[in-house]
Amino acid sequence: MLARMRNLAFAAAAGLLAFAPLAHAADTLIISTGLGQPHLWVAQHMNPFADAIEKGSNGEITFTRFYSGELTSVGRELDGLTSGTIDVAAPLLAPYHEGRFPLSDVTQLPAYGTTSPMVTRAFQKLLDSDVKLSNGKTFYEYEIADKGIRVWALGATAPYSISTTSKVLKEPEDFKGVPLRAGAALHTIVVEKLGATPVTLPGPQAYEALSRGTIEGIIIAISDWPSYSIEQLLRHTITDVSIGHWESYLAISNEAWDGLTDEQKKLFDETARKIALQNAQVWEDNVEVVKKKSMEEYNGQFTPIGQLSPAMQQHVAKAAADTWKTWIEKTEAAGHPARDTAKLYAQFIIEEGGKLPEGVAEYLGL
């Protein structure tokens, strides 16, 4: 089974110990996240997943849980898995692993009419697809297979929106020089195409940057505002155009996976897929909850893109389409099959009922 003994160095949450040895109990997996417990990928994904596995296995599998980077920080999850420090990363945030998951940003490409469940299903289809990309490998073979892990889609975040503290973005020129937070390389492209100034920083630093005026706004999912306590700072949001969705992985090391029985592997796979879709629905439902609180308590204003001027609508649409082209061309230039990946993902998004920015389908040859 899974009985192993090993020493694990971890920062104690209470600050009582800098390092401590930990015995790895029989049938117990170490599951870790770099995120805090209030985050929807923890409270509504990691914990429900672990609970379901423990229950579904009748206690044959249990988890020792670590939160808030106690064992592995954001962007170090893959190292934790391959070194044996942890067995399961929930989540493994691929965009923070610079250069190691070059195609996984594909869900951050802008679209219209997408929801969290739609993107979750589309991304899992991409992982499951047997379509060979231009290099002769499937998406999973290219992006995951050689990294010593097995992965499943998370519940995708709600659509990323453009939000500001005081600056009202009504016309294209209003973007000029405005410092906006971009959480990933692909979002940097979007911000640049809009004419604003990208400031790259992780979510936990958003509150301080917004409150100090280091940034004027942010590209992030509305339902993620409470995770970083920024709902009290943001006043103006453009909605109904998705600046993509942040997707990533629930990951288990090959070593831990190989220690499971066939029945346990089946339970793991089925549970991962089920919990991802449940989590996606929470992300989606929470948008209206956060919007209501913002409007009632902080005078937040939410403006659908369709209510802005034709010039503004065209400006955002062109920025969205240009982002697809720039990401594909930059990633292809680095030697990765981005065009085939984007085309396959776009097909899945269209199947789910989403719409591509004008000109993207033609560019992809769909």
Side-chain angles (χ1 to χ4, degrees), residues 260-326:
L260 301 177
T261 65
D262 289 345
E263 183 178 358
Q264 290 169 342
K265 290 176 180 177
K266 183 174 184 289
L267 172 66
F268 206 101
D269 177 76
E270 292 176 348
T271 303
R273 294 168 186 267
K274 178 180 178 181
I275 296 298
L277 286 172
Q278 290 178 355
N279 180 231
Q281 193 58 55
V282 173
W283 277 103
E284 195 67 26
D285 293 343
N286 209 43
V287 172
E288 294 306 317
V289 174
V290 176
K291 285 172 65 175
K292 181 179 179 181
K293 181 177 180 180
S294 173
M295 289 185 288
E296 292 179 350
E297 298 185 19
Y298 306 114
N299 195 32
Q301 299 178 11
F302 299 85
T303 305
I305 186 71
Q307 293 182 13
L308 295 175
S309 70
M312 184 64 155
Q313 294 180 49
Q314 292 168 11
H315 178 71
V316 173
K318 185 178 186 304
D322 287 348
T323 295
W324 280 74
K325 298 171 186 177
T326 298

Side-chain angles (χ1 to χ4, degrees), residues 2 4 29 86-88 252-260:
L2 298 172
R4 296 192 296 271
L29 297 177
I86 64 174
D87 298 304
V88 181
I252 183 172
S253 69
N254 282 349
E255 181 185 0
W257 178 257
D258 291 342
L260 301 177

Side-chain angles (χ1 to χ4, degrees), residues 78-92:
L78 181 59
D79 292 340
L81 288 165
T82 55
S83 69
T85 302
I86 64 174
D87 298 304
V88 181
L92 185 157

Side-chain angles (χ1 to χ4, degrees), residues 39-61:
H39 198 283
L40 293 182
W41 275 336
V42 181
Q44 300 296 333
H45 187 279
M46 172 180 161
N47 285 335
F49 171 78
D51 291 344
I53 292 293
E54 290 177 344
K55 181 178 179 180
S57 68
N58 295 315
E60 291 182 0
I61 300 174

Side-chain angles (χ1 to χ4, degrees), residues 52-102:
I53 292 293
E54 290 177 344
K55 181 178 179 180
S57 68
N58 295 315
E60 291 182 0
I61 300 174
T62 58
F63 291 94
T64 301
R65 311 179 194 196
F66 291 90
Y67 305 97
S68 303
E70 291 172 331
L71 277 184
T72 50
S73 59
V74 169
R76 299 302 301 273
E77 300 97 345
L78 181 59
D79 292 340
L81 288 165
T82 55
S83 69
T85 302
I86 64 174
D87 298 304
V88 181
L92 185 157
L93 295 173
Y96 288 121
H97 292 68
E98 186 174 355
R100 302 178 83 173
F101 297 90

